[in-house]
Amino acid sequence: MHSQGSLRIGVIGTGGMGTRHAMNIHRFVNGADVAAVYDLDQARAQRVADACGARVLDNPRALIQNENVDAVLIASPDETHAALTLACLEIGKPVLCEKPLATTVPDAERVLNAEVALGRRLVAVGFMRRFDPPHVAVKHAATGGKLGQPLLFKGVHRNASAPYGTTGANILINSAGHDFDSARWLLNEQVQEVYVRGVCSRADASPGAQDLLLVVMSFANQRMATAEVYVNADYGYEVSAELVCQHGTVVTEQPDAALVRANGQRGYSVPNDWLARFNEAYIFELRDWVDSIQKGQPFHGASAWDGYMAMLITNACIQSLQTQQIVAVNAPQTPALYQ
Ligand code: ISE
């Protein structure tokens, strides 16, 4: 049953991420309930619906238009994100779209232009690192003044393994957007140029698949950023963000890490994936999103503009990876809606 007055959320996509979001809403977000779910795999959708006391709908657009759904969470495959977000904008429904907002620049532009035309912010994008306590601590330390101006962002983004055949372009579209958003968020500057190189880490990876990328970004005011994105790191899932500032540096520290001494060794465990590493961030992101809708306060996470900028940078990175040249990122002026 849904509590009176709670925000009724429809979840599109019940894979790993969508299921985690649905269960987080059900268990940890006050003032919100999962009212409906959709997945192409209806049996999978039914299992999540049963766990959350929600209905299963057989069509994502029917879910978006359903009068018993107040807000929509999109966690379906990347290539569906832009069209489904547009469908939410068409009927004025708030939406949290998992990253990436789109898989092409034109699609990201269509979402951005639709929200600008609407004149109000309905789109939130799931760059959850903005709610990750270690990343928030880096942001606070860098803006506290004691370290001076942040000059260089250094991101490390390692997945234990990626599906066979994952290409450099796939990685840039599906994964590296987090690092581009973190660099923009922590440096608070406009990106100007990118340079990307990639290598294939092992003989048994699919031919030509570059699974270790190094991205260099230059920003306005002579700020810089590097991001290592390695999707077959083997040892585990690890993300770090460091800012090198005028008078010091600040770097994310492992949350809840325990130093274990055993069997002549000492060390920390490493999570297997992003659901484990960013467990808290996903909950904090959902609470902030629900509060922004229920209380009419700004969402403190990424907007459609941030989702568009991530795709613009991604597109330039794909070109740089292919040409091995520096590529300019020609961003338009930030629309007033996002300033
Ligand atoms: C995944 O979709 C995520 O969002 C994770 O944060 C990222 O590390 C992973 O590479 C993506 O596939």
Side-chain angles (χ1 to χ4, degrees), residues 17 78 98-99 126 128-129 157-159 171 174-176 178 229 231 237 239 274 278 282:
M17 191 71 258
D78 294 356
E98 261 300 331
K99 38 57 58 184
M128 76 292 172
R129 294 182 190 178
H157 181 177
R158 296 178 182 146
N159 289 199
I171 297 168
N174 176 264
S175 306
H178 283 296
V229 187
V231 297
Y237 182 88
V239 165
W274 49 93
F278 291 106
Y282 289 122

Side-chain angles (χ1 to χ4, degrees), residues 311-329:
M311 190 57 229
L312 202 63
I313 297 167
T314 296
N315 191 55
C317 286
I318 291 170
Q319 290 177 48
S320 179
L321 182 62
Q322 287 166 348
T323 62
Q324 299 188 358
Q325 302 295 315
I326 295 173
V327 176
V329 178

